[in-house]
Amino acid sequence: MNALLAKTGNDAVHPAARRLLEQLADTPAAPVRLVVVAPGGYGKTALLGALDRSYREAGVEATVVDDADQLDDEDLTRLTMLAAAKEGPLVVAHRPNPRAQALRSLGETLLLPPLTVDEVGKLAKQLTGRTADAPALHASTGGVPRLVERVVTARLADFRAELAALDDDVLRYLIAAEAGAARNLDLLCSLLERTPDELPEVVDGARATGLLDAEDILLPAAAEAVRAYGPPARRLAVLQQLVEAQLTRGLPVLDLATSLLDAGSSGASAAAAFATAASEALPTDPKHAARLFEAAAEAGARDAATTTGWARAAALSGDLDTALRLGDGMLSGEDPEARAAGAEIAATVLAHRGELARTAELYRWAAATDSWSRQHAATTSSNSGGHDSGYESPAAAATSHQAAPQQTLASSADSQVAALPHRADAAGTPTDPASAAPTAYVPNGNPSLPGQPQPNGESYRWVGPVAVDAFATIALVGTGQTTDGQAVANVPMPGVAPTLFTGAAARTANGIVESVFGCGTEALPTLVGAAAMLEPAVGGAPLPDSPAALAALAGLHAGELALAESVLERALASSVGGDLLATRHRLLLGWVAMTGGHLAAATEHRDAVAGTKLEARDELFFATLELGLARRASDLVGLQQSWERAYQASMRQQVDLFTLLPLGELAIAAARTGAHAKLSRRLERAHAMLDRLGNPPLWTVSLCWHELHAAITTEDRATAEQQLAALNHFADCGRYPAALARAAGCWLKVLSGTFDPGEISAAAAELHELDLCWDAARLAGQAAIRTSDRKAMVQLLEAARQFQGTTGRLESAAPTPGAATGLSALSERELEVARLVVDGLTYKQAGSKLFISGKTVEHHMARIRGKLGAADRRELLATLRELLAKPTVH
């Protein structure tokens, strides 16, 4: 019954009922034969109450029967006979029910339909006095008056008693519908213990409640009421029964298990349901999967599959603390495969935290554990047959694994991972290397309970032996721990499926190996191919790094900016690595844009990840991207503000092959801010790493180019010449290193003041063709302000304008037709210089304040003089004093 409509009078009555009452207002004694039909909550009781009062006040004897569908057969017969015998008014109301069809013959039928959107809005305003979002309210309530009333007055709790009073089968049906099982005929029949022919009776009862829409789907507001106010014990029992039925059939349980999350369910069936549902959610919703895996663990699941899945979901959703805690806890377990899985998890997390050397160690330990496990299995099998075991100890397994022909491992003493100790029992059977498990750093957490292998014997690891070998190789090469040129064999191991994932991992490792031998450019097709292979293969595997990111880094080092951009955009579109690597891909896109001089695009990529929690590696790329943008925009304040964050980020990141670009940008910024000495040790480590790798051109050239510009900034000619010599050494390795070498030579000539403008233009044009627009424009612009040949200056300035693309306003040394005049013609840096000089500072003093040399200040003043058309220095200072004294007009 709808108590509200009875209390609020005719204004709140269903519109169809109100129209009927208005028709009867003038003739209350008129004989009416009416059958009112509607589900619960439509105002039937309010209508009958109004009619009954009207008849009583008029002294008319009338028969008014509510809830006629609940009458038994005997009462229905009596009502039919009464209607035939009496001539007075007869009003009967009932819910839709096949049993009540006979009542339709008693009089004219009045159907109360759901309210329209406009009617919902009017009712909400009548009830609250406020205007509601009628379309949203209608979508939530389906236009059922009772639902509208209880939603707008926040009284859904009133459903508690009504739900508890429902027929048990109807209540169970509603609970199942709220859990998403309303369309599953087999599941409903199992739950209700009915045949398909008997099920419609229950569905009819559910429809009569008014909580279903026209498609028999539980209305959103009704679903909330059932979820929050259905009898808790009954709801839990129904959900567990549904889940068990789905698990028995091997069918998806995600929706059902999600409903169980807030029901406090525990025990074996709940744990199995949560774990199964988590696996279903993992590819598309890692955060939800992590919540389900956690619920499975809380419900009693302590197996390695659940722990590994939880760590995997946590990593993909960016919760690396949890992933590392779980992985570290598995390292000391008894099951070898669980230990290997824990090592893989910890290695993946530490790669994102800038600990690539530690990552390599953990992957190698996982590989050695794999080898030991396979040998142990062979030993057990052989011993059972009375044959020689052929046992290889974990230490020997690690050694043989390191020396295997498909590996590329270090031989230097400082990079070797200690051999794993082993023990044997009294019978000579080998024991596993658990005691030698490396322990990852666990921030504010406790290790999880050790896992157990899956009952069906299937692997629960997402990496596996082949990919472990590949990732270990990538990490070893990335930290300079390799000395030969052998690649990872892409040959499936027995019992290991040759999936796209393992193939892509092996190809990525081969590409990284190729990148440090020869000129290194041969690695690009391999890495790009690996990235393409992985795109359709995995959406739910945490990776230490993606093939796309490594391919992009190689492309940045090789001057293949378009290729780097393309592979990163494809990785983002394919969600390779999930949210965990989306940030890395976005930041690298920013680096590609910045390197090409497209500062606005680079800023957009930076802003897309600003404000999010960044791990050490991403923090380094983000902070140095900000630093690089400030430097290219001649934003001294921004440069100074960004420097400290970037420097601190570099301190949290170990030097490796894949962070040389940020290190180079830091070197230039350090030179600009007078902090070059702070980076000297890190630069030494970088060169030591490159030395161990034989100074591979692909990775070394860019660092030399950055260090050249740092030396130019500090006017350290000896170091600049040293970097020029290094660049010339690599000039035969392709167009990109050759172009950088020629540009480097031109830079030194420009600084010396003796250069050929044609040679400068050609070198800058070559940089521009390689998409290094900002570098090309800067070389041409700096040469322009240092030449005394006015014709050459104009030509170089014109070339710089063409090269700069969208990098920003060119710092021009001479006015051109239509150009801005006065202070508006000066760049921000020129204005800074002008103000300091006008204030009486010498060039050296002004340079000290701006963290540039006195010679650079002199060059700025020369350009300002050309722009303002001053004949000499005296005239220039007078003009500047006059212009700077005037208020700025915006």
Side-chain angles (χ1 to χ4, degrees):
M1 294 184 180
N2 194 325
L4 173 72
L5 294 179
K7 292 178 181 179
T8 54
N10 290 348
D11 286 343
V13 172
H14 190 288
R18 185 183 303 112
R19 287 191 292 270
L20 173 67
L21 292 174
E22 290 173 352
Q23 293 173 6
L24 298 176
D26 297 332
T27 56
V32 174
R33 296 288 174 122
L34 186 67
V35 179
V36 183
V37 182
Y42 278 74
K44 300 185 301 297
T45 300
L47 173 59
L48 265 63
L51 290 172
D52 185 54
R53 287 192 299 274
S54 176
Y55 289 133
R56 289 179 184 277
E57 291 172 0
V60 176
E61 183 179 351
T63 303
V64 179
V65 181
D66 198 2
D67 295 328
D69 53 292
Q70 299 180 18
L71 299 176
D72 58 25
D73 291 342
E74 182 180 349
D75 287 337
L76 282 174
T77 300
R78 290 175 57 195
L79 178 60
T80 303
M81 295 174 61
L82 178 64
K86 294 185 65 174
E87 296 183 355
L90 173 70
V91 183
V92 176
H94 69 83
R95 297 184 178 189
N97 191 313
R99 290 185 63 253
Q101 289 298 321
L103 296 172
R104 300 290 183 95
S105 62
L106 300 181
E108 181 181 354
T109 299
L110 173 64
L111 296 175
L112 301 182
L115 303 180
T116 65
V117 173
D118 288 342
E119 289 168 346
V120 164
K122 291 178 181 178
L123 177 58
K125 190 166 186 179
Q126 290 171 5
L127 295 171
T128 65
R130 300 185 303 272
T131 300
D133 183 350
L137 186 58
H138 185 273
S140 175
T141 63
V144 177
R146 177 174 57 185
L147 278 175
V148 174
E149 174 256 317
R150 291 184 178 175
V151 168
V152 298
T153 59
R155 290 173 51 205
L156 281 181
D158 289 354
F159 277 108
R160 181 180 282 111
E162 294 176 18
L163 290 171
L166 286 175
D167 174 79
D168 188 62
D169 280 352
V170 172
L171 175 60
R172 288 196 292 167
Y173 177 87
L174 292 176
I175 294 172
E178 185 276 324
R183 296 293 189 184
N184 193 324
L185 182 63
D186 292 339
L187 196 57
L188 289 174
C189 289
S190 173
L191 171 70
L192 300 173
E193 298 179 350
R194 291 175 178 253
T195 66
D197 291 337
E198 296 171 333
L199 192 60
E201 181 182 351
V202 179
V203 178
D204 287 338
R207 289 173 184 153
T209 64
L211 302 180
L212 304 183
D213 65 13
E215 303 297 325
D216 291 337
I217 302 298
L218 201 61
L219 290 163
E224 182 181 349
V226 171
R227 182 167 52 251
Y229 302 110
R234 201 68 180 124
R235 181 168 180 266
L236 178 59
V238 169
L239 292 176
Q240 286 188 326
Q241 190 174 346
L242 290 171
V243 164
E244 290 170 2
Q246 284 292 84
L247 287 174
T248 301
R249 293 174 172 83
L251 297 175
V253 296
L254 178 56
D255 291 340
L256 296 174
T258 299
S259 297
L260 269 178
L261 277 174
D262 60 353
S265 181
S266 62
S269 63
F274 290 140
T276 303
S279 298
E280 294 174 19
L282 186 59
T284 56
D285 192 349
K287 289 184 179 179
H288 188 45
R291 185 183 176 205
L292 287 164
F293 274 123
E294 183 177 9
E298 291 175 351
R302 294 293 187 270
D303 57 283
T306 299
T307 305
T308 304
W310 184 5
R312 179 179 181 179
L316 281 170
S317 58
D319 184 6
L320 296 190
D321 286 346
T322 296
L324 186 58
R325 172 177 61 83
L326 295 170
D328 187 72
M330 295 174 71
L331 287 174
S332 57
E334 296 181 358
D335 174 41
E337 187 160 341
R339 292 197 302 275
E344 292 166 5
I345 294 165
T348 299
V349 172
L350 292 176
H352 288 266
R353 295 190 164 175
E355 296 286 349
L356 204 57
R358 182 64 169 158
T359 293
E361 179 185 357
L362 284 161
Y363 277 133
R364 296 176 73 190
W365 189 86
T369 303
D370 273 328
S371 178
W372 179 89
S373 182
R374 290 192 295 271
Q375 290 290 336
H376 179 65
T379 299
T380 304
S381 176
S382 298
N383 285 343
S384 65
H387 300 294
D388 178 27
S389 69
Y391 165 66
E392 179 183 22
S393 73
T399 303
S400 64
H401 182 81
Q402 293 164 15
Q406 71 267 28
Q407 293 300 307
T408 306
L409 304 177
S411 59
S412 58
D414 63 334
S415 64
Q416 288 296 319
V417 180
L420 301 175
H422 70 283
R423 305 181 300 278
D425 59 19
T429 303
T431 57
D432 63 69
S435 61
T439 303
Y441 170 68
V442 184
N444 301 323
N446 298 314
S448 67
L449 295 176
Q452 298 297 326
Q454 291 204 91
N456 58 12
E458 296 180 1
S459 175
Y460 40 75
R461 293 160 57 190
W462 75 80
V463 180
V466 175
V468 161
D469 288 344
F471 293 152
T473 298
I474 293 169
L476 289 166
V477 174
T479 51
Q481 301 182 61
T482 182
T483 56
D484 59 53
Q486 294 175 325
V488 177
N490 192 10
V491 179
M493 294 182 179
V496 179
T499 62
L500 288 174
F501 180 78
T502 58
R507 184 178 290 189
T508 303
N510 289 338
I512 294 301
V513 170
E514 291 172 1
S515 75
V516 297
F517 293 96
C519 290
T521 52
E522 301 85 356
L524 281 173
T526 306
L527 291 170
V528 172
M533 182 182 293
L534 194 60
E535 286 169 9
V538 59
L543 300 167
D545 211 344
S546 73
L550 294 172
L553 283 170
L556 279 163
H557 280 273
E560 294 283 357
L561 301 188
L563 184 67
E565 181 180 38
S566 174
V567 74
L568 289 169
E569 287 178 343
R570 289 173 62 93
L572 273 176
S574 302
S575 299
V576 172
D579 292 341
L580 181 62
L581 279 168
T583 296
R584 178 154 174 78
H585 295 151
R586 179 70 66 186
L587 287 171
L588 287 174
L589 274 171
W591 264 86
V592 171
M594 181 181 72
T595 303
H598 305 292
L599 304 189
T603 300
E604 289 178 3
H605 289 303
R606 178 203 65 187
D607 293 346
V609 299
T612 61
K613 179 184 177 182
L614 301 175
E615 295 298 333
R617 184 174 63 188
D618 289 339
E619 170 68 12
L620 177 64
F621 276 86
F622 178 89
T624 50
L625 177 60
E626 281 197 324
L627 200 65
L629 288 171
R631 178 172 71 87
R632 286 163 177 79
S634 296
D635 179 4
L636 180 62
V637 174
L639 189 71
Q640 292 171 329
Q641 290 175 343
S642 302
W643 159 254
E644 191 60 35
R645 178 176 180 178
Y647 174 70
Q648 291 184 16
S650 73
M651 293 296 102
R652 293 191 293 272
Q653 164 78 52
Q654 300 300 311
V655 174
D656 62 54
L657 203 62
F658 312 126
T659 56
L660 292 178
L661 287 175
L663 181 60
E665 189 61 47
L666 270 167
I668 299 175
R672 290 286 301 271
T673 58
H676 188 65
K678 286 187 173 183
L679 283 185
S680 59
R681 181 56 181 157
R682 299 190 68 76
L683 290 169
E684 289 173 6
R685 290 178 180 174
H687 283 291
M689 175 189 66
L690 291 170
D691 287 343
R692 291 196 300 271
L693 295 171
N695 287 303
L698 179 70
W699 302 100
T700 308
V701 165
S702 292
L703 184 60
C704 292
W705 174 254
H706 283 95
E707 287 187 282
L708 170 81
H709 285 280
I712 289 173
T713 301
T714 58
E715 299 182 348
D716 183 354
R717 189 170 185 86
T719 300
E721 290 177 347
Q722 179 183 352
Q723 299 303 329
L724 172 60
L727 289 169
N728 284 330
H729 175 72
F730 299 120
D732 294 335
C733 282
R735 184 184 178 192
Y736 184 70
L740 293 187
R742 281 189 286 273
C746 288
W747 266 109
L748 291 187
K749 292 178 181 178
V750 167
L751 293 178
S752 68
T754 57
F755 57 87
D756 178 1
E759 182 183 6
I760 301 299
S761 294
E766 193 170 16
L767 291 177
H768 185 263
E769 289 174 6
L770 290 167
D771 290 332
L772 301 180
C773 303
W774 187 84
D775 291 274
R778 185 165 181 264
L779 175 58
Q782 290 295 313
I785 66 173
R786 286 173 170 81
T787 181
S788 57
D789 185 336
R790 187 169 183 82
K791 181 178 179 181
M793 178 185 69
V794 172
Q795 291 175 344
L796 287 167
L797 285 172
E798 182 58 31
R801 289 189 188 91
Q802 295 174 357
F803 295 154
Q804 74 173 351
T806 58
T807 58
R809 178 167 47 185
L810 176 69
E811 294 185 352
S812 173
T816 57
T821 59
L823 292 181
S824 61
L826 306 184
S827 69
E828 291 183 9
R829 172 49 60 87
E830 287 169 348
L831 282 171
E832 291 174 338
V833 169
R835 288 190 178 97
L836 292 174
V837 173
V838 168
D839 287 342
L841 274 67
T842 66
Y843 289 167
K844 184 176 182 180
Q845 291 169 334
S848 178
K849 281 186 171 292
L850 297 176
F851 298 98
I852 58 178
S853 67
K855 191 70 173 177
T856 302
V857 173
E858 183 179 353
H859 291 315
H860 279 302
M861 291 299 291
R863 282 184 295 174
I864 294 170
R865 176 182 168 186
K867 288 182 178 182
L868 298 181
D872 52 30
R873 187 173 186 275
R874 180 181 299 177
E875 182 180 343
L876 172 62
L877 291 175
T879 302
L880 285 174
R881 288 191 186 97
E882 180 182 356
L883 292 173
L884 291 171
K886 295 178 179 179
T888 301
V889 178
H890 296 283

